[in-house]
PDB file of all heavy atoms in Angstrom:
ATOM      1  N   ILE P 294       0.847  -1.182   0.000  1.00 79.00           N
ATOM      2  CA  ILE P 294       0.000   0.000   0.000  1.00 79.00           C
ATOM      3  C   ILE P 294       0.886   1.237   0.000  1.00 79.00           C
ATOM      4  O   ILE P 294       1.739   1.405   0.872  1.00 79.00           O
ATOM      5  CB  ILE P 294      -0.949   0.026   1.210  1.00 79.00           C
ATOM      6  CG1 ILE P 294      -1.873  -1.193   1.188  1.00 79.00           C
ATOM      7  CG2 ILE P 294      -1.788   1.302   1.203  1.00 79.00           C
ATOM      8  CD1 ILE P 294      -2.775  -1.304   2.403  1.00 79.00           C
ATOM      9  N   LEU P 295       0.702   2.090  -1.001  1.00 84.00           N
ATOM     10  CA  LEU P 295       1.437   3.342  -1.110  1.00 84.00           C
ATOM     11  C   LEU P 295       0.476   4.496  -0.899  1.00 84.00           C
ATOM     12  O   LEU P 295      -0.605   4.534  -1.496  1.00 84.00           O
ATOM     13  CB  LEU P 295       2.105   3.456  -2.477  1.00 84.00           C
ATOM     14  CG  LEU P 295       3.177   2.410  -2.794  1.00 84.00           C
ATOM     15  CD1 LEU P 295       3.604   2.517  -4.249  1.00 84.00           C
ATOM     16  CD2 LEU P 295       4.377   2.568  -1.875  1.00 84.00           C
ATOM     17  N   HIS P 296       0.866   5.448  -0.071  1.00 90.00           N
ATOM     18  CA  HIS P 296       0.019   6.591   0.227  1.00 90.00           C
ATOM     19  C   HIS P 296       0.498   7.869  -0.453  1.00 90.00           C
ATOM     20  O   HIS P 296      -0.295   8.732  -0.779  1.00 90.00           O
ATOM     21  CB  HIS P 296      -0.050   6.812   1.736  1.00 90.00           C
ATOM     22  CG  HIS P 296      -0.607   5.649   2.487  1.00 90.00           C
ATOM     23  ND1 HIS P 296      -1.949   5.390   2.569  1.00 90.00           N
ATOM     24  CD2 HIS P 296      -0.002   4.659   3.173  1.00 90.00           C
ATOM     25  CE1 HIS P 296      -2.153   4.288   3.272  1.00 90.00           C
ATOM     26  NE2 HIS P 296      -0.986   3.827   3.656  1.00 90.00           N
ATOM     27  N   LEU P 297       1.784   7.988  -0.668  1.00 92.00           N
ATOM     28  CA  LEU P 297       2.360   9.225  -1.184  1.00 92.00           C
ATOM     29  C   LEU P 297       3.236   9.003  -2.407  1.00 92.00           C
ATOM     30  O   LEU P 297       3.129   9.728  -3.395  1.00 92.00           O
ATOM     31  CB  LEU P 297       3.166   9.911  -0.072  1.00 92.00           C
ATOM     32  CG  LEU P 297       3.759  11.276  -0.372  1.00 92.00           C
ATOM     33  CD1 LEU P 297       2.650  12.274  -0.734  1.00 92.00           C
ATOM     34  CD2 LEU P 297       4.535  11.788   0.847  1.00 92.00           C
ATOM     35  N   ILE P 298       4.102   8.020  -2.347  1.00 92.00           N
ATOM     36  CA  ILE P 298       5.030   7.742  -3.444  1.00 92.00           C
ATOM     37  C   ILE P 298       4.268   7.139  -4.625  1.00 92.00           C
ATOM     38  O   ILE P 298       3.433   6.256  -4.427  1.00 92.00           O
ATOM     39  CB  ILE P 298       6.159   6.802  -2.973  1.00 92.00           C
ATOM     40  CG1 ILE P 298       7.010   7.520  -1.920  1.00 92.00           C
ATOM     41  CG2 ILE P 298       7.024   6.344  -4.131  1.00 92.00           C
ATOM     42  CD1 ILE P 298       8.076   6.654  -1.279  1.00 92.00           C
ATOM     43  N   PRO P 299       4.528   7.592  -5.846  1.00 90.00           N
ATOM     44  CA  PRO P 299       3.829   7.042  -7.021  1.00 90.00           C
ATOM     45  C   PRO P 299       3.981   5.531  -7.150  1.00 90.00           C
ATOM     46  O   PRO P 299       5.026   4.968  -6.817  1.00 90.00           O
ATOM     47  CB  PRO P 299       4.508   7.767  -8.198  1.00 90.00           C
ATOM     48  CG  PRO P 299       5.023   9.041  -7.610  1.00 90.00           C
ATOM     49  CD  PRO P 299       5.432   8.699  -6.208  1.00 90.00           C
ATOM     50  N   SER P 300       2.916   4.889  -7.649  1.00 81.00           N
ATOM     51  CA  SER P 300       2.884   3.434  -7.763  1.00 81.00           C
ATOM     52  C   SER P 300       3.980   2.872  -8.662  1.00 81.00           C
ATOM     53  O   SER P 300       4.372   1.718  -8.521  1.00 81.00           O
ATOM     54  CB  SER P 300       1.511   2.990  -8.288  1.00 81.00           C
ATOM     55  OG  SER P 300       0.470   3.487  -7.489  1.00 81.00           O
ATOM     56  N   GLY P 301       4.477   3.677  -9.579  1.00 84.00           N
ATOM     57  CA  GLY P 301       5.519   3.214 -10.492  1.00 84.00           C
ATOM     58  C   GLY P 301       6.834   2.865  -9.826  1.00 84.00           C
ATOM     59  O   GLY P 301       7.725   2.305 -10.476  1.00 84.00           O
ATOM     60  N   ILE P 302       6.972   3.172  -8.547  1.00 88.00           N
ATOM     61  CA  ILE P 302       8.223   2.955  -7.833  1.00 88.00           C
ATOM     62  C   ILE P 302       8.615   1.477  -7.807  1.00 88.00           C
ATOM     63  O   ILE P 302       9.796   1.144  -7.617  1.00 88.00           O
ATOM     64  CB  ILE P 302       8.130   3.507  -6.394  1.00 88.00           C
ATOM     65  CG1 ILE P 302       9.526   3.741  -5.794  1.00 88.00           C
ATOM     66  CG2 ILE P 302       7.294   2.590  -5.506  1.00 88.00           C
ATOM     67  CD1 ILE P 302      10.251   4.884  -6.418  1.00 88.00           C
ATOM     68  N   LEU P 303       7.683   0.576  -8.014  1.00 86.00           N
ATOM     69  CA  LEU P 303       7.958  -0.858  -7.940  1.00 86.00           C
ATOM     70  C   LEU P 303       8.637  -1.399  -9.192  1.00 86.00           C
ATOM     71  O   LEU P 303       9.046  -2.561  -9.214  1.00 86.00           O
ATOM     72  CB  LEU P 303       6.657  -1.627  -7.703  1.00 86.00           C
ATOM     73  CG  LEU P 303       5.839  -1.243  -6.467  1.00 86.00           C
ATOM     74  CD1 LEU P 303       4.571  -2.063  -6.397  1.00 86.00           C
ATOM     75  CD2 LEU P 303       6.633  -1.401  -5.191  1.00 86.00           C
ATOM     76  N   HIS P 304       8.779  -0.573 -10.222  1.00 90.00           N
ATOM     77  CA  HIS P 304       9.268  -1.044 -11.507  1.00 90.00           C
ATOM     78  C   HIS P 304      10.682  -0.540 -11.812  1.00 90.00           C
ATOM     79  O   HIS P 304      11.070   0.545 -11.389  1.00 90.00           O
ATOM     80  CB  HIS P 304       8.324  -0.602 -12.629  1.00 90.00           C
ATOM     81  CG  HIS P 304       6.943  -1.155 -12.484  1.00 90.00           C
ATOM     82  ND1 HIS P 304       6.565  -2.351 -13.029  1.00 90.00           N
ATOM     83  CD2 HIS P 304       5.856  -0.673 -11.850  1.00 90.00           C
ATOM     84  CE1 HIS P 304       5.299  -2.580 -12.751  1.00 90.00           C
ATOM     85  NE2 HIS P 304       4.842  -1.582 -12.031  1.00 90.00           N
ATOM     86  N   ASP P 305      11.414  -1.317 -12.586  1.00 92.00           N
ATOM     87  CA  ASP P 305      12.761  -0.944 -13.006  1.00 92.00           C
ATOM     88  C   ASP P 305      12.735   0.169 -14.051  1.00 92.00           C
ATOM     89  O   ASP P 305      11.785   0.291 -14.836  1.00 92.00           O
ATOM     90  CB  ASP P 305      13.489  -2.154 -13.604  1.00 92.00           C
ATOM     91  CG  ASP P 305      13.790  -3.229 -12.570  1.00 92.00           C
ATOM     92  OD1 ASP P 305      14.354  -2.903 -11.519  1.00 92.00           O
ATOM     93  OD2 ASP P 305      13.459  -4.407 -12.837  1.00 92.00           O
ATOM     94  N   HIS P 306      13.807   0.986 -14.044  1.00 95.00           N
ATOM     95  CA  HIS P 306      14.065   1.962 -15.102  1.00 95.00           C
ATOM     96  C   HIS P 306      12.911   2.956 -15.316  1.00 95.00           C
ATOM     97  O   HIS P 306      12.562   3.288 -16.446  1.00 95.00           O
ATOM     98  CB  HIS P 306      14.409   1.254 -16.419  1.00 95.00           C
ATOM     99  CG  HIS P 306      15.559   0.313 -16.311  1.00 95.00           C
ATOM    100  ND1 HIS P 306      16.861   0.729 -16.170  1.00 95.00           N
ATOM    101  CD2 HIS P 306      15.599  -1.045 -16.292  1.00 95.00           C
ATOM    102  CE1 HIS P 306      17.660  -0.322 -16.083  1.00 95.00           C
ATOM    103  NE2 HIS P 306      16.923  -1.411 -16.148  1.00 95.00           N
ATOM    104  N   LYS P 307      12.322   3.422 -14.226  1.00 96.00           N
ATOM    105  CA  LYS P 307      11.276   4.427 -14.296  1.00 96.00           C
ATOM    106  C   LYS P 307      11.730   5.707 -13.609  1.00 96.00           C
ATOM    107  O   LYS P 307      12.650   5.722 -12.808  1.00 96.00           O
ATOM    108  CB  LYS P 307       9.981   3.932 -13.621  1.00 96.00           C
ATOM    109  CG  LYS P 307       9.482   2.579 -14.118  1.00 96.00           C
ATOM    110  CD  LYS P 307       9.071   2.608 -15.574  1.00 96.00           C
ATOM    111  CE  LYS P 307       8.607   1.216 -16.013  1.00 96.00           C
ATOM    112  NZ  LYS P 307       8.274   1.184 -17.472  1.00 96.00           N
ATOM    113  N   ILE P 308      11.049   6.803 -13.956  1.00 97.00           N
ATOM    114  CA  ILE P 308      11.185   8.058 -13.231  1.00 97.00           C
ATOM    115  C   ILE P 308       9.853   8.314 -12.532  1.00 97.00           C
ATOM    116  O   ILE P 308       8.801   8.344 -13.180  1.00 97.00           O
ATOM    117  CB  ILE P 308      11.530   9.226 -14.174  1.00 97.00           C
ATOM    118  CG1 ILE P 308      12.911   9.012 -14.803  1.00 97.00           C
ATOM    119  CG2 ILE P 308      11.496  10.552 -13.414  1.00 97.00           C
ATOM    120  CD1 ILE P 308      13.269  10.056 -15.849  1.00 97.00           C
ATOM    121  N   CYS P 309       9.890   8.472 -11.222  1.00 96.00           N
ATOM    122  CA  CYS P 309       8.686   8.728 -10.439  1.00 96.00           C
ATOM    123  C   CYS P 309       8.762  10.131  -9.846  1.00 96.00           C
ATOM    124  O   CYS P 309       9.794  10.505  -9.264  1.00 96.00           O
ATOM    125  CB  CYS P 309       8.529   7.689  -9.324  1.00 96.00           C
ATOM    126  SG  CYS P 309       8.202   6.017  -9.924  1.00 96.00           S
ATOM    127  N   ILE P 310       7.675  10.876  -9.983  1.00 98.00           N
ATOM    128  CA  ILE P 310       7.668  12.284  -9.597  1.00 98.00           C
ATOM    129  C   ILE P 310       6.494  12.588  -8.680  1.00 98.00           C
ATOM    130  O   ILE P 310       5.349  12.210  -8.961  1.00 98.00           O
ATOM    131  CB  ILE P 310       7.616  13.178 -10.846  1.00 98.00           C
ATOM    132  CG1 ILE P 310       8.973  13.149 -11.555  1.00 98.00           C
ATOM    133  CG2 ILE P 310       7.221  14.612 -10.498  1.00 98.00           C
ATOM    134  CD1 ILE P 310       8.991  13.846 -12.900  1.00 98.00           C
ATOM    135  N   ILE P 311       6.777  13.276  -7.581  1.00 98.00           N
ATOM    136  CA  ILE P 311       5.746  13.874  -6.738  1.00 98.00           C
ATOM    137  C   ILE P 311       5.686  15.341  -7.131  1.00 98.00           C
ATOM    138  O   ILE P 311       6.605  16.111  -6.863  1.00 98.00           O
ATOM    139  CB  ILE P 311       6.069  13.701  -5.244  1.00 98.00           C
ATOM    140  CG1 ILE P 311       6.075  12.204  -4.882  1.00 98.00           C
ATOM    141  CG2 ILE P 311       5.058  14.451  -4.385  1.00 98.00           C
ATOM    142  CD1 ILE P 311       6.492  11.904  -3.448  1.00 98.00           C
ATOM    143  N   GLY P 312       4.600  15.717  -7.821  1.00 98.00           N
ATOM    144  CA  GLY P 312       4.514  17.036  -8.433  1.00 98.00           C
ATOM    145  C   GLY P 312       4.154  18.154  -7.480  1.00 98.00           C
ATOM    146  O   GLY P 312       3.801  17.939  -6.314  1.00 98.00           O
ATOM    147  N   ASN P 313       4.201  19.357  -8.004  1.00 98.00           N
ATOM    148  CA  ASN P 313       3.947  20.554  -7.210  1.00 98.00           C
ATOM    149  C   ASN P 313       2.522  20.647  -6.692  1.00 98.00           C
ATOM    150  O   ASN P 313       2.246  21.351  -5.718  1.00 98.00           O
ATOM    151  CB  ASN P 313       4.262  21.802  -8.025  1.00 98.00           C
ATOM    152  CG  ASN P 313       3.495  21.857  -9.335  1.00 98.00           C
ATOM    153  OD1 ASN P 313       3.936  21.275 -10.328  1.00 98.00           O
ATOM    154  ND2 ASN P 313       2.353  22.511  -9.366  1.00 98.00           N
ATOM    155  N   GLY P 314       1.578  19.938  -7.311  1.00 97.00           N
ATOM    156  CA  GLY P 314       0.186  19.972  -6.868  1.00 97.00           C
ATOM    157  C   GLY P 314      -0.114  19.076  -5.686  1.00 97.00           C
ATOM    158  O   GLY P 314      -1.223  19.120  -5.134  1.00 97.00           O
ATOM    159  N   VAL P 315       0.848  18.264  -5.288  1.00 97.00           N
ATOM    160  CA  VAL P 315       0.705  17.376  -4.129  1.00 97.00           C
ATOM    161  C   VAL P 315       1.018  18.162  -2.863  1.00 97.00           C
ATOM    162  O   VAL P 315       1.775  19.129  -2.886  1.00 97.00           O
ATOM    163  CB  VAL P 315       1.668  16.171  -4.269  1.00 97.00           C
ATOM    164  CG1 VAL P 315       1.632  15.271  -3.039  1.00 97.00           C
ATOM    165  CG2 VAL P 315       1.351  15.375  -5.537  1.00 97.00           C
ATOM    166  N   VAL P 316       0.424  17.782  -1.737  1.00 97.00           N
ATOM    167  CA  VAL P 316       0.892  18.267  -0.436  1.00 97.00           C
ATOM    168  C   VAL P 316       1.682  17.127   0.208  1.00 97.00           C
ATOM    169  O   VAL P 316       1.235  15.986   0.233  1.00 97.00           O
ATOM    170  CB  VAL P 316      -0.250  18.770   0.463  1.00 97.00           C
ATOM    171  CG1 VAL P 316      -0.742  20.127  -0.011  1.00 97.00           C
ATOM    172  CG2 VAL P 316      -1.408  17.798   0.544  1.00 97.00           C
ATOM    173  N   PHE P 317       2.837  17.470   0.737  1.00 97.00           N
ATOM    174  CA  PHE P 317       3.901  16.506   0.995  1.00 97.00           C
ATOM    175  C   PHE P 317       4.207  16.408   2.483  1.00 97.00           C
ATOM    176  O   PHE P 317       4.551  17.409   3.119  1.00 97.00           O
ATOM    177  CB  PHE P 317       5.140  16.955   0.207  1.00 97.00           C
ATOM    178  CG  PHE P 317       6.375  16.122   0.408  1.00 97.00           C
ATOM    179  CD1 PHE P 317       6.512  14.899  -0.223  1.00 97.00           C
ATOM    180  CD2 PHE P 317       7.414  16.586   1.203  1.00 97.00           C
ATOM    181  CE1 PHE P 317       7.654  14.146  -0.053  1.00 97.00           C
ATOM    182  CE2 PHE P 317       8.561  15.840   1.378  1.00 97.00           C
ATOM    183  CZ  PHE P 317       8.695  14.613   0.745  1.00 97.00           C
ATOM    184  N   ASP P 318       4.091  15.216   3.034  1.00 97.00           N
ATOM    185  CA  ASP P 318       4.466  14.958   4.420  1.00 97.00           C
ATOM    186  C   ASP P 318       5.813  14.233   4.409  1.00 97.00           C
ATOM    187  O   ASP P 318       5.882  13.057   4.059  1.00 97.00           O
ATOM    188  CB  ASP P 318       3.402  14.107   5.113  1.00 97.00           C
ATOM    189  CG  ASP P 318       3.615  14.016   6.618  1.00 97.00           C
ATOM    190  OD1 ASP P 318       4.790  13.936   7.043  1.00 97.00           O
ATOM    191  OD2 ASP P 318       2.619  14.001   7.377  1.00 97.00           O
ATOM    192  N   PRO P 319       6.904  14.915   4.782  1.00 97.00           N
ATOM    193  CA  PRO P 319       8.221  14.281   4.693  1.00 97.00           C
ATOM    194  C   PRO P 319       8.382  13.069   5.599  1.00 97.00           C
ATOM    195  O   PRO P 319       9.108  12.129   5.253  1.00 97.00           O
ATOM    196  CB  PRO P 319       9.186  15.407   5.082  1.00 97.00           C
ATOM    197  CG  PRO P 319       8.355  16.388   5.844  1.00 97.00           C
ATOM    198  CD  PRO P 319       6.988  16.299   5.272  1.00 97.00           C
ATOM    199  N   LYS P 320       7.694  13.076   6.743  1.00 96.00           N
ATOM    200  CA  LYS P 320       7.781  11.925   7.647  1.00 96.00           C
ATOM    201  C   LYS P 320       7.188  10.686   6.996  1.00 96.00           C
ATOM    202  O   LYS P 320       7.765   9.600   7.058  1.00 96.00           O
ATOM    203  CB  LYS P 320       7.047  12.245   8.955  1.00 96.00           C
ATOM    204  CG  LYS P 320       7.184  11.155  10.016  1.00 96.00           C
ATOM    205  CD  LYS P 320       6.492  11.585  11.306  1.00 96.00           C
ATOM    206  CE  LYS P 320       6.635  10.500  12.388  1.00 96.00           C
ATOM    207  NZ  LYS P 320       5.967  10.927  13.656  1.00 96.00           N
ATOM    208  N   VAL P 321       6.031  10.842   6.353  1.00 95.00           N
ATOM    209  CA  VAL P 321       5.397   9.730   5.649  1.00 95.00           C
ATOM    210  C   VAL P 321       6.256   9.279   4.473  1.00 95.00           C
ATOM    211  O   VAL P 321       6.439   8.085   4.230  1.00 95.00           O
ATOM    212  CB  VAL P 321       3.986  10.129   5.167  1.00 95.00           C
ATOM    213  CG1 VAL P 321       3.391   9.052   4.255  1.00 95.00           C
ATOM    214  CG2 VAL P 321       3.073  10.386   6.358  1.00 95.00           C
ATOM    215  N   PHE P 322       6.801  10.237   3.748  1.00 96.00           N
ATOM    216  CA  PHE P 322       7.668   9.936   2.608  1.00 96.00           C
ATOM    217  C   PHE P 322       8.851   9.070   3.034  1.00 96.00           C
ATOM    218  O   PHE P 322       9.142   8.040   2.412  1.00 96.00           O
ATOM    219  CB  PHE P 322       8.160  11.255   1.998  1.00 96.00           C
ATOM    220  CG  PHE P 322       9.137  11.108   0.866  1.00 96.00           C
ATOM    221  CD1 PHE P 322       8.710  10.762  -0.407  1.00 96.00           C
ATOM    222  CD2 PHE P 322      10.491  11.333   1.078  1.00 96.00           C
ATOM    223  CE1 PHE P 322       9.619  10.643  -1.458  1.00 96.00           C
ATOM    224  CE2 PHE P 322      11.403  11.220   0.039  1.00 96.00           C
ATOM    225  CZ  PHE P 322      10.968  10.879  -1.232  1.00 96.00           C
ATOM    226  N   LEU P 323       9.513   9.468   4.099  1.00 97.00           N
ATOM    227  CA  LEU P 323      10.689   8.731   4.574  1.00 97.00           C
ATOM    228  C   LEU P 323      10.309   7.347   5.081  1.00 97.00           C
ATOM    229  O   LEU P 323      11.058   6.380   4.890  1.00 97.00           O
ATOM    230  CB  LEU P 323      11.396   9.540   5.653  1.00 97.00           C
ATOM    231  CG  LEU P 323      12.088  10.819   5.156  1.00 97.00           C
ATOM    232  CD1 LEU P 323      12.496  11.702   6.331  1.00 97.00           C
ATOM    233  CD2 LEU P 323      13.302  10.471   4.303  1.00 97.00           C
ATOM    234  N   GLN P 324       9.156   7.227   5.727  1.00 94.00           N
ATOM    235  CA  GLN P 324       8.701   5.927   6.210  1.00 94.00           C
ATOM    236  C   GLN P 324       8.400   4.990   5.052  1.00 94.00           C
ATOM    237  O   GLN P 324       8.760   3.812   5.083  1.00 94.00           O
ATOM    238  CB  GLN P 324       7.460   6.095   7.095  1.00 94.00           C
ATOM    239  CG  GLN P 324       6.922   4.792   7.686  1.00 94.00           C
ATOM    240  CD  GLN P 324       7.913   4.055   8.564  1.00 94.00           C
ATOM    241  OE1 GLN P 324       8.707   4.678   9.276  1.00 94.00           O
ATOM    242  NE2 GLN P 324       7.911   2.720   8.503  1.00 94.00           N
ATOM    243  N   GLU P 325       7.737   5.505   3.995  1.00 93.00           N
ATOM    244  CA  GLU P 325       7.453   4.680   2.827  1.00 93.00           C
ATOM    245  C   GLU P 325       8.736   4.250   2.132  1.00 93.00           C
ATOM    246  O   GLU P 325       8.870   3.106   1.687  1.00 93.00           O
ATOM    247  CB  GLU P 325       6.542   5.432   1.852  1.00 93.00           C
ATOM    248  CG  GLU P 325       5.108   5.530   2.322  1.00 93.00           C
ATOM    249  CD  GLU P 325       4.125   5.943   1.238  1.00 93.00           C
ATOM    250  OE1 GLU P 325       4.525   6.080   0.067  1.00 93.00           O
ATOM    251  OE2 GLU P 325       2.942   6.137   1.556  1.00 93.00           O
ATOM    252  N   LEU P 326       9.694   5.164   2.025  1.00 93.00           N
ATOM    253  CA  LEU P 326      10.988   4.823   1.444  1.00 93.00           C
ATOM    254  C   LEU P 326      11.644   3.689   2.213  1.00 93.00           C
ATOM    255  O   LEU P 326      12.181   2.747   1.622  1.00 93.00           O
ATOM    256  CB  LEU P 326      11.915   6.036   1.457  1.00 93.00           C
ATOM    257  CG  LEU P 326      11.887   6.994   0.275  1.00 93.00           C
ATOM    258  CD1 LEU P 326      12.892   8.111   0.501  1.00 93.00           C
ATOM    259  CD2 LEU P 326      12.217   6.251  -1.018  1.00 93.00           C
ATOM    260  N   LYS P 327      11.609   3.800   3.526  1.00 93.00           N
ATOM    261  CA  LYS P 327      12.215   2.782   4.396  1.00 93.00           C
ATOM    262  C   LYS P 327      11.572   1.420   4.154  1.00 93.00           C
ATOM    263  O   LYS P 327      12.271   0.410   3.991  1.00 93.00           O
ATOM    264  CB  LYS P 327      12.059   3.200   5.854  1.00 93.00           C
ATOM    265  CG  LYS P 327      12.654   2.235   6.879  1.00 93.00           C
ATOM    266  CD  LYS P 327      12.544   2.855   8.287  1.00 93.00           C
ATOM    267  CE  LYS P 327      13.150   1.935   9.358  1.00 93.00           C
ATOM    268  NZ  LYS P 327      12.340   0.807   9.679  1.00 93.00           N
ATOM    269  N   GLU P 328      10.244   1.384   4.112  1.00 89.00           N
ATOM    270  CA  GLU P 328       9.539   0.124   3.913  1.00 89.00           C
ATOM    271  C   GLU P 328       9.801  -0.461   2.529  1.00 89.00           C
ATOM    272  O   GLU P 328       9.968  -1.678   2.381  1.00 89.00           O
ATOM    273  CB  GLU P 328       8.035   0.339   4.132  1.00 89.00           C
ATOM    274  CG  GLU P 328       7.680   0.648   5.582  1.00 89.00           C
ATOM    275  CD  GLU P 328       6.228   1.029   5.777  1.00 89.00           C
ATOM    276  OE1 GLU P 328       5.476   1.042   4.768  1.00 89.00           O
ATOM    277  OE2 GLU P 328       5.832   1.335   6.927  1.00 89.00           O
ATOM    278  N   LEU P 329       9.848   0.390   1.513  1.00 90.00           N
ATOM    279  CA  LEU P 329      10.137  -0.080   0.164  1.00 90.00           C
ATOM    280  C   LEU P 329      11.540  -0.662   0.071  1.00 90.00           C
ATOM    281  O   LEU P 329      11.752  -1.719  -0.522  1.00 90.00           O
ATOM    282  CB  LEU P 329       9.978   1.063  -0.839  1.00 90.00           C
ATOM    283  CG  LEU P 329       8.549   1.515  -1.135  1.00 90.00           C
ATOM    284  CD1 LEU P 329       8.562   2.835  -1.894  1.00 90.00           C
ATOM    285  CD2 LEU P 329       7.789   0.464  -1.936  1.00 90.00           C
TER     286      LEU P 329
END
């Protein structure tokens, strides 16, 4: 389950972007990165 990071993160050779229209929680971002 991904809440913030784009779903494409699971695939090889992709570029994943969190755009300017998103509101960004850095704590959640770092936790998702850790779990991934």
